[in-house]
Amino acid sequence: MSAPSLIVFGARKGAGLAVAQAARAAGWAVTVVVRPGADASALSAAGCQVREADALDTAAVSESFAGLPSAAWVVSTLGGFDPVVDNFGNRNVIAAARAHGVQGMLLVSSLGAGDSRAYASPKLVAAIGPVLDAKTRAEDALRASGLAFAIVRPGGLVDGQASGSGQLVEAQDVHGYLSRTELASLILRLLAGGGLSGQTLAAIDPACPPPARYA
């Protein structure tokens, strides 16, 4: 049996890098798509196949799927601070994934997006309101795409090792933190179980303390 296949957008650093590294450690075949000229040395070292495409270049995103198995899963962690990439970059990935006929797509969004906005703190909305709006539009595009999908909305992300105590929950009125490696572990577990059935899940870790500046 061939290794399961994963395509990751936004993998150069942060949660995307953690997902790619965790998948490779589990024996998955991983292709990552990074911005042209980006330093992908950590991804190459992990054994990932590296391709380049600007997420805002529709044709380039489509071409990045060329030759990859349709049985692949897609994960996008694009965006974070750029509403244009959060919205249009992710929508380009969604369209290309649908055209390629992949098994399904998991979008990493954020607590405070979509119907969890009602539970976001005024401080969070003031800081990244436009980003949350863009993530909401990307979520809506994925729901309308016809793809098998899951949307994961993590709380605050911190550095650190996986704790094994992270949770994916349907309730959206939650707050908290988790490490990027723990988020990667939760995502990989969800994909390995084939569990992309239109869920929107919050990701938190009750054992993860807030960063010192928020403690």
Side-chain angles (χ1 to χ4, degrees), residues 1-19:
M1 180 181 296
S2 60
S5 182
L6 179 65
I7 307 166
V8 185
F9 288 80
R12 187 181 67 82
K13 61 181 181 178
L17 174 59
V19 169

Side-chain angles (χ1 to χ4, degrees), residues 46-67:
C48 300
Q49 178 186 0
V50 178
R51 297 187 174 187
E52 294 187 346
D54 184 332
L56 299 179
D57 184 333
T58 303
V61 172
S62 179
E63 180 61 27
S64 70
F65 281 82

Side-chain angles (χ1 to χ4, degrees), residues 117-151:
R117 181 69 166 262
Y119 308 107
S121 70
K123 184 176 181 180
L124 178 67
V125 174
I128 61 168
V131 169
L132 296 175
D133 291 340
K135 288 182 181 296
T136 298
R137 288 191 283 273
E139 289 185 4
D140 290 343
L142 182 56
R143 292 190 184 95
S145 69
L147 287 166
F149 75 90
I151 294 165

Side-chain angles (χ1 to χ4, degrees), residues 24-74:
R24 282 297 303 138
W28 289 49
V30 180
T31 300
V32 295
V33 184
V34 301
R35 187 176 64 250
D39 178 7
S41 56
L43 293 160
S44 296
C48 300
Q49 178 186 0
V50 178
R51 297 187 174 187
E52 294 187 346
D54 184 332
L56 299 179
D57 184 333
T58 303
V61 172
S62 179
E63 180 61 27
S64 70
F65 281 82
L68 296 178
S70 60
W73 300 102
V74 175

Side-chain angles (χ1 to χ4, degrees), residues 87-104:
N87 181 12
F88 293 104
N90 277 313
R91 288 168 69 174
N92 282 340
V93 173
I94 292 164
R98 180 181 59 211
H100 194 65
V102 300
Q103 283 204 72

